[in-house]
Amino acid sequence: MTLKTILASTALCATLALGAVQAQAAQLVVGFSQIGSESGWRAAETTVTREQAKAHGVTLKFSDAQQKQENQISAIRAFIAQNVDAIFLAPVVATGWDPVLKEAKDANIPVILLDRLIDTQDPSLYLTAVGSDVVHEGNVAGTWLVGAVGTKPCNVVEIQGTVGSSPAIGRKKGFEQAIAGHDNIKIIRSQTGDFVRAKGKEVMESFIKAEDNGKNICAVFAHNDDMVVGAIQAIKEAGLKPGKDILVVSIDGVPDMLKAQMAGEDNASVELTPNMAGPAFDALIAFKEHGTIPPHFIQTKSKLLLPADAQAEYDEKKNLGY
């Protein structure tokens, strides 16, 4: 970050803080532009965000973008027109946000990113971002695979998330960093499944067909659990045993993946908590009531989920709305 952008960000925060403290007495109204419901994790995030809004005494205006950036831009402009106190944005892609976020900035409405980051040269366009370190998530998945296969040759097929999205970019980068230097592990095929279960199954079917009915595949790495659940189905339909004939590793930690672990069909997943909104509301309220400027990135915790703990994890998550 350059000195210029740091000063711009600081100036915006100071301006927003002044207006925020003046408006602190009123109940907060927050507009939330959600990507859609492409996965169980996304549905749980929406549920938890609604619960956290209620718990924090915030009125939440919700907009489902159905995975289209143009819908999110329209929603943000509608929130600005309604003069909400803040906007939460889970961006479907990383680029193309500067003009509409500049409109929010000009309207003195702070924006908080949930789950995903954006590509911008002006960090003052958002107050803070709450999310996991997606590069670290990919690295944890790759590190697990390195330990699982040891020195055994291992051809990996990769099912990527939505092209251009920050999780897809970061998780791929982290995984590749983890397996770098382990020449026995190679990514032989990589294709997007758009974070969707049906597409994950479709992509895995094509991988299996292209790789001697799956005999040339050692492991599948998927950028989310929903795609890997689809991939597991494709492996089974090909007459192979997921988790044994083909190792399975992914990211999110959703209940359906935990059930697959209990069935011996999934080997590892890196948890992505659906509670991004709790820390976001805490930061927003502190900002509004006390002018406290939060760190520009609030990192949530994540952990490696393995079959031994699957039942306990499932019991905790089964009612979250996945």
Side-chain angles (χ1 to χ4, degrees):
M1 187 183 298
T2 66
L3 177 60
K4 182 178 180 180
T5 54
I6 292 173
L7 291 174
S9 178
T10 302
L12 169 75
C13 290
T15 301
L16 290 174
L18 177 59
V21 172
Q22 291 171 341
Q24 62 182 289
Q27 183 181 43
L28 296 179
V29 177
V30 173
F32 175 32
S33 176
Q34 175 61 288
I35 293 170
S37 55
E38 84 283 2
S39 66
W41 185 90
R42 189 65 58 188
E45 185 197 34
T46 296
T47 299
V48 174
T49 300
R50 293 183 190 277
E51 292 175 349
Q52 287 292 329
K54 186 176 181 180
H56 284 79
V58 172
T59 298
L60 190 71
K61 293 180 177 291
F62 179 78
S63 177
D64 181 344
Q66 299 180 332
Q67 294 187 262
K68 295 181 179 178
Q69 185 181 34
E70 57 265 35
N71 290 345
Q72 293 200 290
I73 291 173
S74 296
I76 292 170
R77 288 186 171 136
F79 292 147
I80 294 171
Q82 295 169 55
N83 195 31
V84 297
D85 295 297
I87 295 171
F88 286 5
L89 169 64
V92 64
V93 294
T95 59
W97 297 104
D98 284 26
V100 72
L101 295 191
K102 178 67 163 52
E103 293 173 30
K105 176 181 176 180
D106 291 344
N108 201 29
I109 298 174
V111 173
I112 295 180
L113 305 179
L114 298 185
D115 175 41
R116 298 183 179 184
L117 299 177
I118 60 172
D119 288 338
T120 179
Q121 296 299 312
D122 184 1
S124 74
L125 292 178
Y126 60 92
L127 177 65
T128 186
V130 181
S132 62
D133 182 334
V134 290
V135 176
H136 176 68
E137 290 173 341
N139 195 286
V140 171
T143 299
W144 173 83
L145 184 64
V146 168
V149 302
T151 57
K152 170 189 169 185
C154 185
N155 289 334
V156 181
V157 293
E158 177 187 34
I159 307 177
Q160 295 187 36
T162 302
V163 175
S165 67
S166 57
I169 296 169
R171 289 170 179 176
K172 179 176 182 62
K173 179 180 180 181
F175 187 83
E176 290 177 343
Q177 287 176 344
I179 65 173
H182 300 274
D183 296 338
N184 57 312
I185 303 175
K186 297 179 181 178
I187 299 175
I188 58 172
R189 294 186 182 273
S190 184
Q191 185 176 330
T192 181
D194 210 20
F195 287 125
V196 177
R197 185 174 304 193
K199 289 188 178 180
K201 181 173 184 289
E202 181 180 310
V203 170
M204 192 67 200
E205 288 172 342
S206 69
F207 287 160
I208 292 171
K209 184 177 181 181
E211 296 296 337
D212 193 17
N213 196 36
K215 295 176 183 176
N216 196 37
I217 301 173
C218 162
V220 55
F221 166 54
H223 289 189
N224 81 343
D225 282 346
D226 270 72
M227 292 192 297
V228 98
V229 170
I232 287 172
Q233 186 61 34
I235 294 169
K236 293 164 68 176
E237 290 179 5
L240 300 170
K241 294 180 180 179
K244 295 182 176 63
D245 295 328
I246 296 178
L247 299 176
V248 178
V249 58
S250 57
I251 296 169
D252 277 352
V254 306
D256 279 354
M257 182 282 305
L258 294 168
K259 287 196 289 187
Q261 285 197 350
M262 288 186 277
E265 297 175 343
D266 185 286
N267 303 98
S269 180
V270 182
E271 183 184 43
L272 172 63
T273 176
N275 185 16
M276 305 288 175
F281 283 126
D282 289 342
L284 177 64
I285 290 170
F287 176 67
K288 288 287 187 180
E289 293 187 350
H290 307 294
T292 303
I293 299 174
H296 211 54
F297 180 70
I298 301 171
Q299 184 173 339
T300 58
K301 295 180 180 178
S302 60
K303 61 182 177 182
L304 183 65
L305 302 178
L306 300 172
D309 300 319
Q311 183 66 62
E313 292 287 341
Y314 177 80
D315 290 342
E316 288 185 8
K317 295 184 173 181
K318 61 183 179 183
N319 295 322
L320 285 182
Y322 285 92

